[in-house]
Amino acid sequence: MKTLLLTAALLFSFFSLALSNPPSMLIQQAAEIAQADLESRSIQGTVFIEQINYKKGGGISGDPPYWEVLWNKPFPAQTKGRNEIGLRITLDGNYKRSVK
């Protein structure tokens, strides 16, 4: 019984901590930015959003939090020999293309 109560308390504290600092940009806004980028390049008929992940940033590099938008398939990037796999959208609305 004590283990159950301890587990419940830990889960509650984890979820309350996670909810106390929500991202300032909603996932819907990130999706709209990504979709507008696809439309501006006229590739929305063949490439679409497959997944969106929230990344808290930080770590050794001190990156700010961002939304990671992944495409359904990679396609040739502007840099020769590389493929674009998605976008990295910071919470202020700026973005960079993710390539491999």
Side-chain angles (χ1 to χ4, degrees):
M1 184 69 167
K2 286 184 180 182
T3 306
L4 181 62
L5 289 174
L6 180 61
T7 303
L10 286 173
L11 283 174
F12 177 75
S13 64
F14 172 74
F15 287 120
S16 63
L17 183 62
L19 293 175
S20 66
N21 195 9
S24 58
M25 175 191 285
L26 300 176
I27 191 170
Q28 180 179 354
Q29 293 168 304
E32 289 169 356
I33 290 169
Q35 187 63 36
D37 179 69
L38 291 174
E39 291 171 5
S40 73
R41 298 188 281 166
S42 300
I43 55 176
Q44 72 275 13
T46 57
V47 178
F48 55 87
I49 298 168
E50 181 173 76
Q51 187 176 15
I52 302 178
N53 302 306
Y54 178 67
K55 303 289 186 169
K56 291 187 179 186
I60 296 172
S61 61
D63 290 337
Y66 61 93
W67 288 102
E68 176 186 60
V69 178
L70 300 174
W71 306 135
N72 65 313
K73 62 181 179 181
F75 57 91
Q78 293 174 344
T79 306
K80 188 175 180 176
R82 303 199 76 175
N83 288 321
E84 182 174 326
I85 60 168
L87 297 178
R88 182 177 178 163
I89 305 172
T90 57
L91 300 184
D92 61 3
N94 293 314
Y95 64 91
K96 295 184 210 176
R97 293 187 170 90
S98 297
V99 295
K100 276 192 174 180

